[in-house]
Amino acid sequence: MNVGYVVRELYHQKRRTLTAILGLSIGIALLIILNALSMAYRQAAHAPLKEIGADITVQRPGDVPKDLSGAVFPCSAVTIRKEEIEKIQSLPGIKGIGKAVLLWVFDSKQAWIVLGIEQNNSIGPAILRAAVAEGRFLEDGKSEALVEAAYARQFGIRIGDTVSVNGSNFPVVGLMDASRSAKIAVANLYLPLADAAGLAASSKNLQAVSPFASGDVNLLFLKADQEKTAEISASLKGILGKKATVGTSDSFLKLLGSLFALSDKFTLAASLIALIVAVLIAFKTMAGNVAERAREIGVLKAVGWTNRNVVMQLLSESVIQCFLAGILGLLIALLVAFGLSFMKINIPIPWDMAPNPHFLPGGGDQIYKTLRLPVHIPWTLALFAVLLSVVIGGLTGGLLGRHVAKIKPSEVLRHE
Amino acid sequence: MNDSKILSGTGLSKSYGELEVVKNVSVSVNAGEFVCLVGKSGCGKTTLLSLLSGLEHPTKGQVILNGKEINGASEDELALFRRENVGFIFQSFNLIPTLSAWENVALPLFPVKISNEERRQRATELLSQMELGHRLEHLPSALSGGEKQRVAIARALINKPKIIFADEPTGNLDSATGDAIMDILNRLHTKEGVAILMVTHEAELAKTANRLIRMHDGEVIS
């Protein structure tokens, strides 16, 4: 191989070189973008769970309370018994568990959505201590409350006030900013888990629909091995019944409804198509190149170049051309990814996961987790794409070796 | 010129399917000899040149070039043999359009493991002998027909061959330029002792040769 000859050939045949580089670079850019989008949607789908410190949420749907007074469970989250929790904890792939109790409390003057949380557990709603806008977070061993800031404004509740919930009194120690809090298990009053469980256990209405004892909860947040999510989901349904609501990244991905979100197969198929088109463009250009240069190849052979020498020359041109196409494709993909990263997507949070009474103002409204599409191109994908371009160049150049071998100098150099 | 044979073809035939283009031809060229192969267009001159130079395998017959029988050699073995033993000059010059004059001259040396400086030095010397020392970096598109053919002659000489095969070397040139090229070829065989086998259909050019081989319809007639 003569580097000068390779560079001259690529430079002097600008049109042919540019066609090959542009064609292949678009294919490579498509491949990178499709995969980056697929990863971005997967990452976005995990966001609602990530902000609550979990990989999986678990609920069990039940009956609608007959009498909406006092403390009741929303019909989307009824009792998960202590024994069931123990079974879930021992499932393979479970790394940690967070528990919560979500209640609707209908007092004579106002309605509360109460969430009982484990103050010191990073799995579950306690991760939201960063969302305290004013005051402080709940402290261990104290019966106290946090109120959602907008709700507090609506009802004139301030830090230091005492709120009465179904006959129990709780001093307000802080206000939560809903815009900074999770969209799963949204509440307007946050209590220690034991206090919320106490409200549930003492409610006749609640007990009539879904018996609740000490150690029971109605929301579970699981940290789990990502590779085993599907397996764990199946086991959870085995423990809690087929109707159990199991929220995972995959279930949010389906809610997103994008082609990229719907199926890995789509990304794979689209990537393959992009790649095949890219390879065909590279091959067609190189094949045209060999056909166009048959006379030149004949001269090279006549003056003593072996088939291997000629193939190495064409292979070098092809590899350099495809490498440049890979780099250009990567640059195009980076630009497109930068543009796409400004795109906002709304991930719908199913009502079941953030239940609020339909008959209250704003009740039943669809809640969305809104975020910028986290499109980025990992270096591994970038490296893979560039290496793939080089491999395409190598294969294309190699395949053309057969055509080169068929070129007979005596035939192509026969004078005009 | 001496009488030792540099090239010998015996009983050479070449067929393409049913069509026999060269029919049982035997020719030889002595070292330093200038031989012209003449005949009308389509009589098989160029095919015979290809057989004798190892560009093509004969259907029948034997070729001994510079003491080596080349009939059974593979394509790559033939290429290496050509690189070390023969030079070619074509009617349409066949220079590589993207390479400069000196690079075209050095083309046979590209696959050889020598430094680029050495390639350039050898090419420069030859181009200077062809009075093209001032055109080293020019692309073929910037050269006249005569200059292109002189670059092609320099390329044919880069490996110091014992024999040069020239196929209608003046066919694309005006008569004055053609005469100049013939002068160079004559000088090569008289002063440098290089054997030349030249195909031409111009009787006038053939007069400068030591010997003529006339072909008609695939056969040597004299």
Side-chain angles (χ1 to χ4, degrees):
Chain A
M1 181 197 62
N2 185 284
V3 179
Y5 187 9
V6 171
V7 174
R8 295 286 178 80
E9 195 57 44
L10 293 175
Y11 178 75
H12 282 281
Q13 305 295 340
K14 288 187 195 79
R15 197 171 160 187
R16 188 176 64 205
T17 306
L18 281 176
T19 307
I21 289 178
L22 278 175
L24 186 58
S25 65
I26 289 168
I28 292 293
L30 268 174
L31 176 86
I32 298 173
I33 285 294
L34 286 173
N35 282 281
L37 270 177
S38 175
M39 283 189 275
Y41 272 98
R42 288 206 155 274
Q43 205 179 326
H46 191 59
L49 292 166
K50 192 181 175 188
E51 67 180 1
I52 205 153
D55 298 312
I56 300 173
T57 61
V58 187
Q59 293 165 229
R60 170 190 271 152
D63 293 332
V64 179
K66 285 177 187 166
D67 181 9
L68 284 178
S69 65
V72 294
F73 280 148
C75 61
S76 64
V78 299
T79 308
I80 299 173
R81 292 190 306 278
K82 189 180 173 185
E83 313 84 76
E84 292 169 328
I85 298 168
E86 283 163 1
K87 280 186 192 169
I88 290 168
Q89 258 174 320
S90 64
L91 284 175
I94 298 292
K95 293 176 177 171
I97 192 162
K99 292 175 272 188
V101 170
L102 184 72
L103 299 167
W104 290 349
V105 180
F106 300 98
D107 282 338
S108 53
K109 289 182 184 171
Q110 62 192 121
W112 301 92
I113 301 173
V114 176
L115 184 64
I117 61 180
E118 298 173 298
Q119 294 101 310
N120 294 316
N121 193 347
S122 61
I123 307 168
I127 197 174
L128 302 171
R129 60 177 63 237
V132 175
E134 207 179 318
R136 62 168 174 80
F137 195 66
L138 303 175
E139 284 180 356
D140 260 356
K142 292 183 179 173
S143 285
E144 49 194 21
L146 293 169
V147 183
E148 195 276 310
Y151 189 87
R153 269 198 307 278
Q154 187 184 346
F155 290 95
I157 301 167
R158 291 177 185 172
I159 293 172
D161 289 355
T162 297
V163 291
S164 176
V165 184
N166 205 26
S168 301
N169 294 327
F170 300 96
V172 177
V173 295
L175 301 179
M176 294 281 281
D177 181 356
S179 66
R180 281 153 61 189
S181 65
K183 299 293 180 280
I184 292 174
V186 174
N188 44 44
L189 186 73
Y190 297 83
L191 299 177
L193 181 65
D195 290 310
L199 288 173
S202 63
S203 168
K204 285 180 187 171
N205 271 343
L206 186 149
Q207 293 286 9
V209 175
S210 177
F212 187 89
S214 172
D216 294 348
V217 295
N218 69 340
L219 288 180
L220 286 179
F221 302 91
L222 307 178
K223 271 295 225 191
D225 187 343
Q226 295 283 333
E227 303 294 316
K228 292 185 176 168
T229 307
E231 199 181 305
I232 292 169
S233 296
S235 301
L236 289 169
K237 298 226 172 195
I239 295 168
L240 299 174
K242 285 185 179 173
K243 287 183 180 174
T245 307
V246 179
T248 62
S249 292
D250 281 346
S251 61
F252 280 106
L253 201 58
K254 282 175 188 161
L255 289 171
L256 274 169
S258 155
L259 275 176
F260 301 101
L262 276 176
S263 150
D264 282 344
K265 286 177 188 161
F266 168 78
T267 309
L268 185 67
S271 299
L272 272 177
I273 291 169
L275 200 61
I276 288 167
V277 171
V279 170
L280 286 177
I281 289 170
F283 191 77
K284 190 176 181 302
T285 313
M286 285 303 293
N289 182 17
V290 170
E292 246 176 64
R293 292 167 69 188
R295 195 175 184 87
E296 181 179 329
I297 291 167
V299 174
L300 297 177
K301 286 186 171 189
V303 301
W305 286 44
T306 60
N307 274 323
R308 191 169 174 277
N309 296 147
V310 179
V311 170
M312 281 304 289
Q313 174 70 26
L314 295 176
L315 188 69
S316 309
E317 289 175 21
S318 175
V319 166
I320 289 177
Q321 200 164 261
C322 291
F323 173 72
L324 292 174
I327 298 291
L328 181 63
L330 178 59
L331 291 174
I332 294 171
L334 283 169
L335 271 175
V336 175
F338 179 71
L340 286 174
S341 69
F342 288 97
M343 195 168 91
K344 283 194 172 175
I345 56 165
N346 293 316
I347 305 170
I349 307 295
W351 183 87
D352 300 10
M353 289 182 165
N356 48 12
H358 287 91
F359 48 86
L360 292 181
D365 287 354
Q366 177 68 60
I367 297 174
Y368 292 98
K369 167 70 186 165
T370 302
L371 72 161
R372 270 168 63 167
L373 193 60
V375 190
H376 71 278
I377 297 168
W379 70 267
T380 44
L381 178 60
L383 185 67
F384 170 76
V386 174
L387 284 178
L388 187 67
S389 322
V390 173
V391 170
I392 290 172
L395 287 176
T396 310
L399 280 173
L400 291 170
R402 292 175 64 188
H403 293 265
V404 169
K406 285 180 191 163
I407 293 173
K408 304 278 179 213
S410 57
E411 288 170 18
V412 292
L413 297 179
R414 199 166 277 273
H415 61 71
E416 304 79 355
Chain B
M1 186 177 79
N2 62 56
D3 288 343
S4 63
K5 284 180 185 171
I6 185 83
L7 171 68
S8 147
T10 313
L12 295 174
S13 296
K14 181 68 184 177
S15 300
Y16 297 102
E18 297 289 303
L19 182 67
E20 196 174 22
V21 182
V22 175
K23 301 168 186 171
N24 194 28
V25 169
S26 294
V27 292
S28 62
V29 178
N30 292 325
E33 192 181 15
F34 189 163
V35 178
C36 265
L37 195 54
V38 294
K40 290 180 181 170
S41 288
C43 71
K45 304 185 296 289
T46 298
T47 305
L48 180 60
L49 192 83
S50 295
L51 298 179
L52 292 168
S53 62
L55 286 179
E56 209 161 347
H57 286 289
T59 312
K60 270 191 251 170
Q62 183 194 46
V63 178
I64 296 174
L65 183 52
N66 205 16
K68 181 182 164 75
E69 187 182 336
I70 61 173
N71 303 53
S74 70
E75 225 185 286
D76 279 354
E77 284 171 338
L78 281 176
L80 291 173
F81 185 77
R82 285 195 298 269
R83 186 196 296 170
E84 287 160 12
N85 295 281
V86 302
F88 284 97
I89 303 168
F90 304 98
Q91 178 181 351
S92 48
F93 325 125
N94 285 325
L95 301 179
I96 306 297
T98 54
L99 296 181
S100 66
W102 84 261
E103 286 168 326
N104 265 290
V105 173
L107 195 63
L109 299 179
F110 279 5
V112 180
K113 284 184 182 172
I114 56 170
S115 70
N116 211 37
E117 286 71 30
E118 191 179 340
R119 283 190 200 113
R120 189 183 167 106
Q121 190 193 341
R122 282 169 68 175
T124 305
E125 278 171 21
L126 285 167
L127 282 170
S128 298
Q129 286 172 28
M130 298 292 148
E131 295 173 1
L132 287 173
H134 60 298
R135 304 288 248 166
L136 295 179
E137 300 295 343
H138 286 72
L139 290 176
S141 56
L143 301 175
S144 68
E147 287 174 327
K148 283 179 192 170
Q149 197 58 298
R150 279 188 278 157
V151 172
I153 293 171
R155 180 178 65 192
L157 293 170
I158 193 83
N159 281 324
K160 303 184 176 95
K162 297 278 192 303
I163 184 165
I164 286 177
F165 293 91
D167 191 359
E168 304 273 11
T170 59
N172 276 359
L173 304 173
D174 59 60
S175 58
T177 315
D179 289 346
I181 293 299
M182 285 309 297
D183 286 346
I184 294 172
L185 292 178
N186 278 316
R187 197 177 69 222
L188 280 176
H189 105 92
T190 53
K191 293 192 177 169
E192 311 285 334
V194 179
I196 296 172
L197 178 60
M198 184 175 89
V199 164
T200 184
H201 62 274
E202 294 176 57
E204 200 60 32
L205 290 180
K207 283 179 187 169
T208 57
N210 301 129
R211 186 154 58 91
L212 289 185
I213 299 173
R214 292 179 205 280
M215 280 190 80
H216 178 71
D217 198 17
E219 292 176 287
V220 171
I221 53 172
S222 67

